[in-house]
mmCIF file of all heavy atoms in Angstrom:
data_model
loop_
_atom_site.group_PDB
_atom_site.id
_atom_site.type_symbol
_atom_site.label_atom_id
_atom_site.label_comp_id
_atom_site.label_asym_id
_atom_site.label_seq_id
_atom_site.Cartn_x
_atom_site.Cartn_y
_atom_site.Cartn_z
ATOM 1 N N ASN A 83 0.837 -1.220 -0.002
ATOM 2 C CA ASN A 83 -0.002 0.005 0.015
ATOM 3 C C ASN A 83 0.831 1.252 -0.006
ATOM 4 O O ASN A 83 2.077 1.191 0.123
ATOM 5 C CB ASN A 83 -0.974 0.003 1.173
ATOM 6 C CG ASN A 83 -0.285 0.079 2.534
ATOM 7 O OD1 ASN A 83 0.411 1.013 2.844
ATOM 8 N ND2 ASN A 83 -0.441 -1.003 3.322
ATOM 9 N N TRP A 84 0.184 2.381 -0.165
ATOM 10 C CA TRP A 84 0.836 3.656 -0.384
ATOM 11 C C TRP A 84 1.431 4.281 0.872
ATOM 12 O O TRP A 84 2.319 5.145 0.770
ATOM 13 C CB TRP A 84 -0.187 4.607 -0.985
ATOM 14 C CG TRP A 84 -1.163 5.142 0.065
ATOM 15 C CD1 TRP A 84 -2.191 4.457 0.668
ATOM 16 C CD2 TRP A 84 -1.234 6.470 0.600
ATOM 17 N NE1 TRP A 84 -2.851 5.209 1.540
ATOM 18 C CE2 TRP A 84 -2.319 6.484 1.530
ATOM 19 C CE3 TRP A 84 -0.534 7.654 0.386
ATOM 20 C CZ2 TRP A 84 -2.664 7.633 2.254
ATOM 21 C CZ3 TRP A 84 -0.887 8.787 1.109
ATOM 22 C CH2 TRP A 84 -1.920 8.755 2.030
ATOM 23 N N LEU A 85 1.035 3.829 2.086
ATOM 24 C CA LEU A 85 1.396 4.549 3.305
ATOM 25 C C LEU A 85 2.895 4.413 3.634
ATOM 26 O O LEU A 85 3.453 3.302 3.640
ATOM 27 C CB LEU A 85 0.593 3.956 4.478
ATOM 28 C CG LEU A 85 0.731 4.748 5.801
ATOM 29 C CD1 LEU A 85 0.184 6.152 5.674
ATOM 30 C CD2 LEU A 85 0.040 3.969 6.905
ATOM 31 N N VAL A 86 3.538 5.511 3.928
ATOM 32 C CA VAL A 86 4.918 5.577 4.345
ATOM 33 C C VAL A 86 5.067 5.960 5.780
ATOM 34 O O VAL A 86 5.824 5.392 6.530
ATOM 35 C CB VAL A 86 5.747 6.521 3.443
ATOM 36 C CG1 VAL A 86 7.178 6.675 3.943
ATOM 37 C CG2 VAL A 86 5.743 6.094 1.994
ATOM 38 N N GLU A 87 4.324 6.979 6.225
ATOM 39 C CA GLU A 87 4.497 7.543 7.563
ATOM 40 C C GLU A 87 3.234 8.294 7.975
ATOM 41 O O GLU A 87 2.520 8.832 7.133
ATOM 42 C CB GLU A 87 5.689 8.508 7.593
ATOM 43 C CG GLU A 87 6.092 9.031 8.946
ATOM 44 C CD GLU A 87 7.275 9.942 8.912
ATOM 45 O OE1 GLU A 87 7.905 10.032 7.808
ATOM 46 O OE2 GLU A 87 7.622 10.541 9.943
ATOM 47 N N VAL A 88 2.972 8.302 9.289
ATOM 48 C CA VAL A 88 1.842 9.066 9.850
ATOM 49 C C VAL A 88 2.475 10.029 10.932
ATOM 50 O O VAL A 88 2.554 9.662 12.090
ATOM 51 C CB VAL A 88 0.797 8.180 10.482
ATOM 52 C CG1 VAL A 88 -0.364 8.996 11.101
ATOM 53 C CG2 VAL A 88 0.223 7.216 9.423
ATOM 54 N N PRO A 89 2.875 11.207 10.480
ATOM 55 C CA PRO A 89 3.605 12.119 11.413
ATOM 56 C C PRO A 89 2.674 12.906 12.362
ATOM 57 O O PRO A 89 3.140 13.536 13.295
ATOM 58 C CB PRO A 89 4.318 13.103 10.454
ATOM 59 C CG PRO A 89 3.418 13.123 9.258
ATOM 60 C CD PRO A 89 2.797 11.768 9.116
ATOM 61 N N ASP A 90 1.391 12.830 12.119
ATOM 62 C CA ASP A 90 0.406 13.545 12.944
ATOM 63 C C ASP A 90 -0.893 12.751 12.895
ATOM 64 O O ASP A 90 -1.165 12.067 11.894
ATOM 65 C CB ASP A 90 0.191 14.952 12.322
ATOM 66 C CG ASP A 90 -0.858 15.777 13.084
ATOM 67 O OD1 ASP A 90 -0.465 16.448 14.032
ATOM 68 O OD2 ASP A 90 -2.075 15.685 12.731
ATOM 69 N N PRO A 91 -1.726 12.807 13.935
ATOM 70 C CA PRO A 91 -2.986 12.039 13.923
ATOM 71 C C PRO A 91 -3.840 12.317 12.713
ATOM 72 O O PRO A 91 -4.612 11.400 12.337
ATOM 73 C CB PRO A 91 -3.653 12.498 15.213
ATOM 74 C CG PRO A 91 -2.553 12.880 16.134
ATOM 75 C CD PRO A 91 -1.513 13.512 15.255
ATOM 76 N N ASN A 92 -3.757 13.471 12.107
ATOM 77 C CA ASN A 92 -4.588 13.815 10.953
ATOM 78 C C ASN A 92 -3.898 13.691 9.624
ATOM 79 O O ASN A 92 -4.481 13.975 8.555
ATOM 80 C CB ASN A 92 -5.164 15.236 11.098
ATOM 81 C CG ASN A 92 -6.200 15.333 12.146
ATOM 82 O OD1 ASN A 92 -5.902 15.372 13.355
ATOM 83 N ND2 ASN A 92 -7.477 15.377 11.737
ATOM 84 N N VAL A 93 -2.598 13.316 9.626
ATOM 85 C CA VAL A 93 -1.782 13.411 8.407
ATOM 86 C C VAL A 93 -1.142 12.036 8.065
ATOM 87 O O VAL A 93 -0.599 11.365 8.924
ATOM 88 C CB VAL A 93 -0.665 14.453 8.544
ATOM 89 C CG1 VAL A 93 0.174 14.529 7.284
ATOM 90 C CG2 VAL A 93 -1.280 15.823 8.891
ATOM 91 N N SER A 94 -1.267 11.697 6.785
ATOM 92 C CA SER A 94 -0.530 10.533 6.281
ATOM 93 C C SER A 94 0.328 10.932 5.081
ATOM 94 O O SER A 94 -0.121 11.742 4.263
ATOM 95 C CB SER A 94 -1.515 9.436 5.806
ATOM 96 O OG SER A 94 -2.157 8.835 6.884
ATOM 97 N N ILE A 95 1.535 10.394 5.024
ATOM 98 C CA ILE A 95 2.437 10.611 3.910
ATOM 99 C C ILE A 95 2.599 9.274 3.205
ATOM 100 O O ILE A 95 2.815 8.242 3.824
ATOM 101 C CB ILE A 95 3.814 11.143 4.369
ATOM 102 C CG1 ILE A 95 3.670 12.485 5.108
ATOM 103 C CG2 ILE A 95 4.746 11.295 3.169
ATOM 104 C CD1 ILE A 95 4.937 12.969 5.748
ATOM 105 N N GLY A 96 2.425 9.311 1.890
ATOM 106 C CA GLY A 96 2.510 8.054 1.163
ATOM 107 C C GLY A 96 3.048 8.220 -0.204
ATOM 108 O O GLY A 96 3.333 9.308 -0.718
ATOM 109 N N LEU A 97 3.203 7.092 -0.901
ATOM 110 C CA LEU A 97 3.733 7.056 -2.245
ATOM 111 C C LEU A 97 2.703 7.566 -3.240
ATOM 112 O O LEU A 97 1.499 7.268 -3.106
ATOM 113 C CB LEU A 97 4.143 5.639 -2.620
ATOM 114 C CG LEU A 97 5.263 4.988 -1.725
ATOM 115 C CD1 LEU A 97 5.377 3.520 -2.037
ATOM 116 C CD2 LEU A 97 6.552 5.732 -1.926
ATOM 117 N N LEU A 98 3.188 8.292 -4.244
ATOM 118 C CA LEU A 98 2.312 8.782 -5.296
ATOM 119 C C LEU A 98 2.115 7.686 -6.326
ATOM 120 O O LEU A 98 3.040 7.276 -7.022
ATOM 121 C CB LEU A 98 2.956 10.031 -5.955
ATOM 122 C CG LEU A 98 2.225 10.643 -7.126
ATOM 123 C CD1 LEU A 98 0.853 11.140 -6.705
ATOM 124 C CD2 LEU A 98 3.051 11.793 -7.709
ATOM 125 N N CYS A 99 0.879 7.188 -6.420
ATOM 126 C CA CYS A 99 0.522 6.125 -7.382
ATOM 127 C C CYS A 99 -0.419 6.701 -8.408
ATOM 128 O O CYS A 99 -1.096 7.710 -8.222
ATOM 129 C CB CYS A 99 -0.149 4.976 -6.665
ATOM 130 S SG CYS A 99 0.812 4.231 -5.335
ATOM 131 N N GLU A 100 -0.444 6.039 -9.563
ATOM 132 C CA GLU A 100 -1.399 6.411 -10.585
ATOM 133 C C GLU A 100 -2.707 5.678 -10.291
ATOM 134 O O GLU A 100 -2.781 4.444 -10.375
ATOM 135 C CB GLU A 100 -0.907 6.006 -11.965
ATOM 136 C CG GLU A 100 -1.942 6.260 -13.094
ATOM 137 C CD GLU A 100 -1.559 5.600 -14.386
ATOM 138 O OE1 GLU A 100 -0.549 4.897 -14.434
ATOM 139 O OE2 GLU A 100 -2.340 5.755 -15.345
ATOM 140 N N PRO A 101 -3.777 6.364 -9.869
ATOM 141 C CA PRO A 101 -4.938 5.688 -9.401
ATOM 142 C C PRO A 101 -5.802 5.066 -10.510
ATOM 143 O O PRO A 101 -5.872 5.655 -11.587
ATOM 144 C CB PRO A 101 -5.729 6.774 -8.682
ATOM 145 C CG PRO A 101 -5.289 8.039 -9.319
ATOM 146 C CD PRO A 101 -3.862 7.820 -9.739
ATOM 147 N N PHE A 102 -6.353 3.926 -10.275
ATOM 148 C CA PHE A 102 -7.437 3.405 -11.089
ATOM 149 C C PHE A 102 -8.667 4.305 -10.848
ATOM 150 O O PHE A 102 -8.992 4.548 -9.670
ATOM 151 C CB PHE A 102 -7.744 1.977 -10.777
ATOM 152 C CG PHE A 102 -6.724 0.988 -11.198
ATOM 153 C CD1 PHE A 102 -5.723 0.580 -10.285
ATOM 154 C CD2 PHE A 102 -6.694 0.445 -12.454
ATOM 155 C CE1 PHE A 102 -4.751 -0.345 -10.664
ATOM 156 C CE2 PHE A 102 -5.723 -0.478 -12.828
ATOM 157 C CZ PHE A 102 -4.762 -0.872 -11.937
ATOM 158 N N LYS A 103 -9.344 4.751 -11.856
ATOM 159 C CA LYS A 103 -10.473 5.669 -11.691
ATOM 160 C C LYS A 103 -11.752 4.903 -11.368
ATOM 161 O O LYS A 103 -12.826 5.189 -11.921
ATOM 162 C CB LYS A 103 -10.631 6.492 -12.955
ATOM 163 C CG LYS A 103 -9.514 7.516 -13.190
ATOM 164 C CD LYS A 103 -9.540 8.587 -12.139
ATOM 165 C CE LYS A 103 -8.540 9.703 -12.447
ATOM 166 N NZ LYS A 103 -8.581 10.795 -11.485
ATOM 167 N N ILE A 104 -11.653 3.926 -10.502
ATOM 168 C CA ILE A 104 -12.811 3.174 -10.053
ATOM 169 C C ILE A 104 -12.662 2.865 -8.576
ATOM 170 O O ILE A 104 -11.558 2.854 -8.032
ATOM 171 C CB ILE A 104 -12.947 1.809 -10.822
ATOM 172 C CG1 ILE A 104 -11.634 1.010 -10.770
ATOM 173 C CG2 ILE A 104 -13.397 2.017 -12.236
ATOM 174 C CD1 ILE A 104 -11.733 -0.393 -11.404
ATOM 175 N N GLU A 105 -13.812 2.656 -7.955
ATOM 176 C CA GLU A 105 -13.819 2.211 -6.569
ATOM 177 C C GLU A 105 -14.337 0.752 -6.575
ATOM 178 O O GLU A 105 -15.353 0.458 -7.176
ATOM 179 C CB GLU A 105 -14.733 3.084 -5.681
ATOM 180 C CG GLU A 105 -14.240 4.478 -5.490
ATOM 181 C CD GLU A 105 -15.074 5.317 -4.564
ATOM 182 O OE1 GLU A 105 -16.198 4.881 -4.258
ATOM 183 O OE2 GLU A 105 -14.615 6.374 -4.115
ATOM 184 N N MET A 106 -13.607 -0.140 -5.899
ATOM 185 C CA MET A 106 -14.006 -1.513 -5.830
ATOM 186 C C MET A 106 -14.900 -1.674 -4.598
ATOM 187 O O MET A 106 -14.439 -1.907 -3.461
ATOM 188 C CB MET A 106 -12.786 -2.436 -5.762
ATOM 189 C CG MET A 106 -11.916 -2.343 -7.010
ATOM 190 S SD MET A 106 -12.733 -2.940 -8.496
ATOM 191 C CE MET A 106 -12.765 -4.725 -8.173
ATOM 192 N N VAL A 107 -16.186 -1.511 -4.802
ATOM 193 C CA VAL A 107 -17.193 -1.665 -3.732
ATOM 194 C C VAL A 107 -17.497 -3.156 -3.586
ATOM 195 O O VAL A 107 -17.802 -3.837 -4.552
ATOM 196 C CB VAL A 107 -18.451 -0.878 -4.059
ATOM 197 C CG1 VAL A 107 -19.464 -1.038 -2.925
ATOM 198 C CG2 VAL A 107 -18.120 0.565 -4.310
#
């Protein structure tokens, strides 16, 4: 997954991926 670090309770830093323009519900 994209997550690298959570430096703050409200903040996530992650890898920049090219998103699929769909949600897998």
Side-chain angles (χ1 to χ4, degrees):
N83 65 63
W84 75 290
L85 188 65
V86 174
E87 186 179 352
V88 179
D90 178 90
N92 288 77
V93 179
S94 289
I95 300 173
L97 299 171
L98 176 62
C99 302
E100 177 193 1
F102 289 93
K103 292 291 186 178
I104 52 175
E105 292 184 347
M106 297 296 287
V107 181

